[in-house]
Amino acid sequence: MMKVLASVVLASLVALTLIGVAVAQRGTGNAATFHDAALRGAFSAEEARGPGDFGMPVPTPEAPLPEGADSFNPPLFRVSRSSPAIAEFSRTADRNEIVSMTGVELDRSSNFEIFSQAPSAVKGEVTAVSPLRADKTAATVLLPVSLPEWSMYLIWPNRNGDRGQPIAINRTEAWWLGPNKGTPGTLISVYGRNLTRGNGTSLSYLYIKPPGGSGSYVKPVAVNPFKVDFPIPDMPAGSYEVWIHNSHGGRFGWSGPLKLDILTRSPWADQKSNLLNVKRFGAAGDGITDDTAALQRALEAAKTAAPATVYFPAGTYLVTSFLTAPGNVGWAGDGMNMTEIRLDRSIDHSMIEIAGENVQFEGLTVNANRKTGKQVLMQVYSAKDLRIASVKLNAWGVAALEANGASGLYISDSELVENGSFYGSSRQVFLSGNKFRMTGYGESVAALWGGRDFSMVGNELSNADESQDDGHGIGRFFVGQAHFGSLRNLYWGNNTSRNAAPHDCDKVDCNKGEQICFEIVGSKIKSDFVTATADTVSFKSLSDLGEVTPGGQDLVVVGGRGAGQHRHIVASADSTVTLDAPWNVVPDQTSRFALAAIASRVAIYDNNFDGRSTYSEHDSDSTSVLLFGNVYDAVVDNNRISRMRHGMMTIALDPTLGLAPYFLQYSNNTVSDSNSGLYVGTTFADSGNSGIWGGLGNVYRNNRFENLTHIGVEYETWAHDGSDYNGTVFERNSFKNVPYGFVDAYQLIWTYDGRFKSAPGSHSMKVNTILHENDFDRGSAAAHGSVGFVTRHPSNSWLNIGSTWKDFASGNDGPIVTKSLPD
């Protein structure tokens, strides 16, 4: 009887799906909803047994759901191997918002079935919609307004009853834990995406358990959609699992496990119980006497007595040679304004070398006094568990730290006067509550070349002394590059910059000034594919894999079947690489690969980025966030941005190397008093390979732009094949007081007069761009020559749903001609 019922239900689903397709063929996301009682009753017969049916994790033994968690009882549809399939997708969207995705067979009479369930409902509903746009690579789907507000949604691709694996929108997604160890009471953060109820700042649920055992909930002390803070509970030392739930999706909404080590003792335990006063070793601290020998004697004694702390009473201690910090020894003063260690002779050497683990500095000033030549103030090497708290590092003219290969680096509530520090391939780096005062046109506060687990929270960036030429930086909080391999797990929150941009283009390279800057260009195209399995790919040769780097490399599908996916390489043997996770869509002979060092899993949330008042007067590259090259899964959300040359930038580069950003999200940001608002395009390449995608699935949603001197959206193209964009979504953005609204043209980065031109010959294309409910208003900008919407490339294809352009001299109708590329 059950089999008969299931067959009837499946036939009903197919029929209703075809009705839904017919209703939704208008291309605006209209939906047909399955409301009939027979189908609702069938849900219990066909209901999924648990998260494992969809490959979703759940604690073992299964934990009780958080109080108030949504009910979620999805159906279990049989998946066909010949069905359409989704490779990659944008992970966050509310009802009446767009999901962008890549996959296979999404364009051949396929539609999408969306399961949702109101929080108080016993059963859910399935709604069928047709895509807004779809081709052999990508599709975009508008979530119907009939869905429950900000919930978890499952989406199946469906062609004539053949369904592919579902994807989950708004599902809790924990990326990493930092710090990943500590004693009870230590404040820990879970970093990720969709971590809170309704993507708000009030509710998130953390569950901690030993492997294989039951656990308990821990109350967070601060939450936002990308970071949730909690104190380690009073639990026995050992290794634990941390699970997190945003209360949507019921049993299907868990993310985890992340590993947390609860320690019996902190890395710096007992150091304060054994204080060695430097004055006992002959130090004067009078600012006149050379205290080098006395401090060296104190440090040597502390090394022997470790764990210990060398105590520097208030005063100024002059040294004329570098000092070595032994392991398991702290340095403590009476406060950064009370105790100073000052270098009093030029040594052309770092002032302090960290020689061991578990070192800490607290409550003092270390002043290089411009006497280390070109050497950094503090040479950290590959230190482990280095803590710097309430310390002033005065490294005017050089870097404060060189910390390549460090693990567990904590700098808090300190002041760093410097050209910027190098963190290389370090991991578990936490910079919080610091004041960074830049000098010497320093490149950036922090440079990371293949590291991971990196967090900057509550810091301030400014220039050290704007009355002096060398008292300026160039406006960068961070530069990420791939010289030492892939970067992963990075977070910025509640940071503030002031007057941060190149100040004089005659004295400094003004092609700089991006405050969060990813320049990820370590990539090459692999053209010798042989075969692939769920989690391996074989090539004819791996001779181009290169040397092993700390960050390793990723394999990115940049064209053909499965485009948009990336996987980290965890092993290689003979001519086969093994990947860290299975493909959603297994590549084949049509697939194009980039062997790449990449940046992924990035969240930039709730920061204040301020440039300079000269934003429209000179051609600097001052920008709040630049995502340039191989960047994936990055979210830029709820930031306040002002006085920039370009508010935010997404850039694809040379398609002969596969340098392309995929599945980025810019949402809820405010850009004001700037030259241009949003730059999206392809630059700095004069030749290319067709079939290599430059941008896939990037979404720009709910951003506000005000008082722009030049262009609202710069949609730039250069003269070469490849680096095409597909499935780009501009959704519910508002632009007020701007002379040029949305401009699709050639080399806009160097256009100032409104004379927009098309690319000569071959050029990168913009395919299936969706404009949904954006508002462009000229406002107080000059009316003469103003343009609301202009495209200089008629082969580009567009869909406009409800976007408006107001009071421009021309272009108030938006894109008039919409075209689709042939398969």
Side-chain angles (χ1 to χ4, degrees), residues 46 69 76 86 97 134 177 295 320 344 403 547 566 665-666:
E46 298 289 330
L76 181 62
I86 298 170
E97 293 182 343
L177 200 66
L295 299 191
T320 55
D344 198 41
E547 296 182 0
H566 66 89
Q665 176 187 318
Y666 298 73

Side-chain angles (χ1 to χ4, degrees), residues 390-443:
S390 300
V391 169
K392 182 175 182 177
L393 297 180
N394 190 340
W396 188 296
V398 297
L401 298 96
E402 183 169 331
N404 184 34
S407 174
L409 179 55
Y410 309 82
I411 304 177
S412 63
D413 304 309
S414 296
E415 182 176 351
L416 287 77
V417 182
E418 59 168 337
N419 284 15
S421 293
F422 180 68
Y423 297 92
S425 60
S426 296
R427 300 185 174 195
Q428 290 278 306
V429 178
F430 305 94
L431 311 179
S432 58
N434 303 294
K435 295 180 178 180
F436 295 99
R437 308 299 189 219
M438 296 299 288
T439 66
Y441 303 120
E443 282 288 311

Side-chain angles (χ1 to χ4, degrees), residues 43 72-75 113-117 124-126 153-154 156:
F43 273 9
F72 201 77
N73 304 292
E113 294 172 346
I114 305 170
F115 173 80
S116 63
Q117 186 167 344
E125 296 178 343
V126 173
Y153 314 115
L154 292 183
W156 288 263

Side-chain angles (χ1 to χ4, degrees), residues 188-316:
I188 304 293
S189 299
V190 175
Y191 299 87
R193 172 168 50 193
N194 302 334
L195 299 181
T196 57
R197 183 168 183 83
N199 247 15
T201 57
S202 59
L203 293 176
S204 186
Y205 299 89
L206 292 155
Y207 185 76
I208 300 182
K209 62 183 289 295
S214 298
S216 59
Y217 281 96
V218 177
K219 185 175 178 61
V221 296
V223 304
N224 72 54
F226 310 99
K227 184 169 77 77
V228 176
D229 302 334
F230 68 97
I232 294 180
D234 188 9
M235 301 175 74
S239 183
Y240 290 82
E241 295 175 357
V242 176
W243 294 78
I244 188 166
H245 202 299
N246 65 15
S247 79
H248 302 296
R251 298 172 62 210
F252 300 78
W254 287 103
S255 184
L258 298 175
K259 181 184 176 184
L260 172 66
D261 289 329
I262 299 182
L263 308 177
T264 304
R265 297 157 52 88
S266 86
W268 310 282
D270 299 329
Q271 290 181 6
K272 292 288 182 67
S273 64
N274 186 12
L275 291 178
L276 282 71
N277 189 323
V278 295
K279 293 200 172 183
R280 286 174 41 205
F281 296 86
D286 58 7
I288 300 172
T289 304
D290 183 352
D291 286 325
T292 306
L295 299 191
Q296 288 174 336
R297 288 192 295 269
L299 290 165
E300 192 63 31
K303 177 180 178 180
T304 301
T309 292
V310 177
Y311 168 55
F312 300 79
T316 298

